[in-house]
Amino acid sequence: MTGIDILATGSFLPPLTVTNDDLARCVDTNDEWIRTRTGISTRHMNNGEPTWYMGACAAKQAIERAGIDPSEIGVIICSTVTGDYHSPTISAVIQREIGALGCPAFDVAAACSGFVYALDIAQKFLSAGTKYALVVSSERLSAITDFTDRASCILFGDGAAAVLLRASDSLFSSWLSCDGSGMRYLYAKMRPAPHPFMKDPVHIDDGSDPDAPYSVLVQDGREVYRFATKALPRAVENALEGTGLTPADIDLFIPHQANIRIIETAAKSMGIPLERFYTNIDRCGNTSSASIPIALDEAVTRGVLKRGMTVCFVGFGAGLTSAAAVLKF
Ligand code: UT7
């Protein structure tokens, strides 16, 4: 069996919401600019909830809805770029919280494409005989947001979502990619800890700005925008290759929620009506790898995504990564 069934979904959005007007009190911006340039009105932000905690809440909801015993989970794969520890992974903490001790658990860092990367890896475990796989995407983007940079701080939000998966015979096709030559367009630098033996440290150029602040996202918005509008249709096209399907056969697209204009431009270039793209960016902003599964959980609970429909997840982001997966829900 090489397909996957999404048995259940779950999500967690921290209760604290931050409006565009709230942000206008931090930086020189306004509600009208943010809404018309990005489609975002409000977003959720943690009020102390760690990334693992949000992920564990989402995972518990998915497990409860699937009605399985957590001890039956054979692998836990989390996607995040905002983990709480350098080590261990959030997967380890989430595993403890949900009571699925023993199975392999690891994190995937592929930025906003992380959910699709994790789904693809989970499919490989399932096709090799694992009974159930749990994929959790959890992000605390506010922890790496530069709240003095008006061009980026208006974009991001926090949240988590999870899917409980089982192997099936139904359709699954995916495509993953990374173009590392574009890493300089979107990054958050770690602050290296100096060790006691360091003298006159060398500087090795990797394309990032040596003067860029540590620990916060730095982006060239226009370059990322340009990349995203091309990457989205290309990822869909590549994921569909060999399936006999075209974009017109997809009942619902669930894209990474980065900017409504990116989704509109991509939909237009693919000749697909915007209504077939599920969006919640107005209420959640960009939650990196969590954005696709948060939107998925919402589409399921609102009855927009129904059993039997063909769905396409498509993500793009820092790396520059892009990825898409097509499956029968
Ligand atoms: O997951 C991937 C993460 N990143 C992204 O998805 C980012 C993709 N890029 C974008 O979404 C857009 O490029 C932005 C929303 C970041 C910016 O929108 P834009 O339409 O590309 O604006 P721009 O950078 O071309 O700036 C236009 C103007 C500039 O002013 P001047 O130079 O024309 O006077 C900016 O300084 O808008 C100004 N500006 C703002 N004004 C009010 C930039 N940010 C703001 C702001 N409020 N928040």
Side-chain angles (χ1 to χ4, degrees), residues 136-196:
V136 185
S137 300
S138 186
E139 301 281 10
R140 192 177 173 177
L141 265 277
S142 60
I144 57 165
T145 295
D146 180 353
F147 284 97
T148 65
D149 176 16
R150 68 174 182 172
S152 65
C153 75
I154 46 111
L155 296 171
F156 304 116
D158 301 340
V163 291
L164 207 286
L165 307 167
R166 183 177 59 189
S168 83
D169 283 325
S170 62
L171 166 75
F172 180 84
S173 180
S174 59
W175 182 81
L176 312 181
S177 175
C178 180
D179 175 6
S181 69
M183 71 71 62
R184 66 186 183 279
Y185 298 132
L186 183 55
Y187 56 85
K189 289 202 291 189
M190 281 185 185
R191 186 184 293 281
H195 60 72

Side-chain angles (χ1 to χ4, degrees), residues 29 33 37 112 150-151 219 221-222 225 256 258-259 261 286:
T29 190
W33 192 97
R37 296 290 183 118
C112 308
R150 68 174 182 172
Q219 72 167 2
R222 284 185 200 178
Y225 188 95
H256 169 48
N259 184 325
R261 287 160 52 222
N286 179 346

Side-chain angles (χ1 to χ4, degrees), residues 41-122:
S41 296
T42 184
R43 71 286 288 147
H44 295 260
M45 281 189 201
N46 81 88
N47 191 29
E49 296 95 335
T51 308
W52 68 258
Y53 174 83
M54 297 191 290
C57 292
K60 283 177 190 170
Q61 189 175 56
I63 293 164
E64 196 183 311
R65 286 176 178 168
I68 66 146
D69 190 304
S71 64
E72 294 180 284
I73 294 170
V75 64
I76 300 170
I77 308 170
C78 294
S79 71
T80 190
V81 290
T82 49
D84 307 293
Y85 298 92
H86 283 294
S87 187
T89 58
I90 64 163
S91 312
V93 191
I94 291 171
Q95 187 201 52
R96 181 195 69 192
E97 289 298 301
I98 63 174
L101 298 180
C103 69
F106 58 93
D107 289 3
V108 170
C112 308
S113 307
F115 172 71
V116 183
Y117 268 62
L119 199 67
D120 180 85
I121 299 166

Side-chain angles (χ1 to χ4, degrees), residues 273-310:
L274 190 60
E275 302 75 65
R276 259 197 268 163
F277 285 73
Y278 191 84
T279 61
N280 63 0
I281 187 168
D282 56 325
R283 287 164 284 117
C284 293
N286 179 346
T287 56
S288 191
S289 76
S291 89
I292 293 174
I294 290 171
L296 163 65
D297 183 54
E298 199 180 281
V300 173
T301 52
R302 291 185 174 198
V304 179
L305 182 62
K306 299 186 186 71
R307 290 290 171 194
M309 285 170 80
T310 304

